[in-house]
């Protein structure tokens, strides 16, 4: 399991960051090596700390100057870079496992204390790092899942499959399936997690769902090799009952995050059976029907 960088390195980095606000690298070097209160770290440790700040792009340009910040913000910047640089295994679930100071991992709590960062600020730092990592991961995972599903549908269906999201995201769905006078409009949400389905739904996607009876939200599970390992259809009524409600005419939600329970998901793609080629029946697509049980991959965290 990845651990945070050594505490002496981070303490050294904080001292560099604080003193470089007012002095040059050469001036700070002399102070760090001569001040009695700062000689608890060796020259080698201070050198490693300076190199680390440069690698993490906290120091900018040839002069190695930081963005102007207070001592408090300097501690937050070092802690944030430390967590982001290693992306520990617990970070992927930090949105629901780390909500208060008592939830902090022990190494984060002790490092925060050494940097003069309060436990509450440490929680906020973790939330910020999780949000940035999650946004990047979701974008990559979403694109991969959508592409894999398009390929699967093209191979399995006697229908016209079009990835409309390549043209625009204004449609409110990603894939159009048409044939025999009927259609499905599929909004794809991808995951690589078994036993948990967390999705982001835009206001446009929701409003299209409300007016388009062909619209469906399809969850795609990708395995470690990027292949489809499971498919499920999220119940429309559950979505309607779970999205936020605008509090007034002066504010409206534009995007929401939903934790989808397994009971709200049916196996496969509901309604896809009308186009399935005989040789393609079964498998991860299944012939889903509303309320026909829950996908096995959502009932297991393995």
């Amino acid at each position: 399991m990845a651990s945070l960088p050594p505490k002496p390195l981070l303490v050294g980095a904080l001292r560099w960051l604080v003193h470089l606000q007012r002095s040059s690298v050469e001036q700070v070097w002399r102070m760090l090596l001569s001040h009695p209160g700062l000689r608890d770290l060796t020259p080698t440790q201070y050198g490693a700390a300076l190199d680390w700040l440069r690698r993490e792009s906290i120091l900018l340009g040839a002069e190695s100057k930081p963005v102007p910040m207070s001592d408090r913000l300097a501690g937050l910047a070092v802690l944030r870079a430390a967590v982001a640089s290693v992306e520990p295994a617990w970070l992927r679930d930090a949105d629901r496992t780390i909500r208060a100071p008592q939830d902090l991992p022990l190494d984060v709590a002790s490092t925060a204390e050494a940097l003069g960062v309060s436990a509450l600020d440490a929680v906020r730092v973790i939330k910020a790092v999780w949000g940035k990592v999650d946004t990047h991961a979701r974008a990559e995972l979403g694109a991969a899942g959508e592409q894999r599903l398009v390929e699967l549908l093209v191979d399995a269906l006697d229908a016209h499959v079009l990835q409309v999201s390549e043209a625009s995201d204004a449609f409110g769905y990603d894939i159009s399936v048409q044939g025999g006078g009927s259609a499905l409009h599929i909004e794809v949400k991808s995951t690589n997690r078994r036993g948990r389905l967390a999705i982001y739904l835009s206001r446009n996607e929701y409003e299209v769902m409300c007016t388009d009876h062909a619209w469906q939200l399809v969850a795609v599970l990708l395995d470690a090799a990027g292949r489809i390992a499971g498919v499920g259809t999220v119940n429309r009524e559950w979505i309607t009952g779970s999205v936020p409600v605008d509090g007034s005419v002066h504010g409206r939600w534009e995007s929401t995050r939903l934790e989808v329970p397994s009971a709200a998901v049916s196996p496969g793609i509901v309604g896809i059976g009308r186009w399935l080629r005989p040789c393609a029946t079964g498998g991860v697509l299944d012939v889903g029907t509303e309320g026909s049980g829950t996908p096995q991959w959502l009932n297991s965290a393995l």
Side-chain angles (χ1 to χ4, degrees), residues 87-108:
E87 292 188 20
W90 49 258
L91 186 62
R92 66 187 300 185
D93 288 321
D95 60 313
R96 63 175 183 176
T97 60
I98 303 176
R99 298 182 175 180
Q102 61 267 26
D103 301 326
L104 288 170
L106 292 178
D107 60 339
V108 175

Side-chain angles (χ1 to χ4, degrees), residues 91-157:
L91 186 62
R92 66 187 300 185
D93 288 321
D95 60 313
R96 63 175 183 176
T97 60
I98 303 176
R99 298 182 175 180
Q102 61 267 26
D103 301 326
L104 288 170
L106 292 178
D107 60 339
V108 175
S110 63
T111 298
E113 184 178 4
L115 296 174
V117 174
S118 72
L120 187 58
D121 276 343
V123 172
R124 292 171 177 149
V125 165
I126 288 174
K127 294 293 188 185
V129 175
W130 173 85
K132 185 173 183 179
V133 171
D134 183 63
T135 298
H136 178 72
R138 280 192 291 113
E140 290 189 339
L141 189 65
E146 188 178 320
Q147 185 59 41
R148 296 292 87 76
L149 185 59
V150 168
E151 294 168 358
L152 182 61
L153 294 174
V154 168
D155 289 341
L157 304 183

Side-chain angles (χ1 to χ4, degrees), residues 156-160 177-186 213-216 269-278 281 285-289:
L157 304 183
D158 280 322
H160 180 61
V177 180
Q178 295 186 344
S182 59
L184 280 182
H185 297 151
I186 299 173
H213 295 299
W215 189 97
Q216 286 191 156
I269 300 179
V270 172
I272 204 72
R274 74 193 90 166
W275 297 300
L276 272 175
R277 298 189 181 107
T281 56
L285 282 180
D286 290 320
V287 183
T289 57

Side-chain angles (χ1 to χ4, degrees), residues 2 22-23 29 31-32 43 49 54 58 72 77 88 118 139 232 241 248 250 258 269-270 281 289 295 297:
R22 299 173 288 275
S23 306
W29 256 124
M31 180 186 65
L32 293 175
R54 288 167 171 157
I58 300 176
R72 172 178 174 272
S118 72
S248 75
H250 303 293
L258 302 173
I269 300 179
V270 172
T281 56
T289 57
W297 56 272

Side-chain angles (χ1 to χ4, degrees), residues 92-93 130 132-151 163 165 174-175 187-194 196-200 218-230 257 297:
R92 66 187 300 185
D93 288 321
W130 173 85
K132 185 173 183 179
V133 171
D134 183 63
T135 298
H136 178 72
R138 280 192 291 113
E140 290 189 339
L141 189 65
E146 188 178 320
Q147 185 59 41
R148 296 292 87 76
L149 185 59
V150 168
E151 294 168 358
Q163 189 174 2
S165 61
D174 301 310
I175 303 170
E187 172 61 28
V188 183
K189 302 298 181 184
S190 306
T191 183
N192 56 8
R193 304 291 304 277
R194 291 182 178 271
R196 183 187 182 192
L197 179 59
I199 64 172
Y200 287 81
V218 172
V220 173
L221 172 69
L222 296 182
D223 64 17
R227 299 167 301 204
I228 292 182
R257 185 170 181 269
W297 56 272

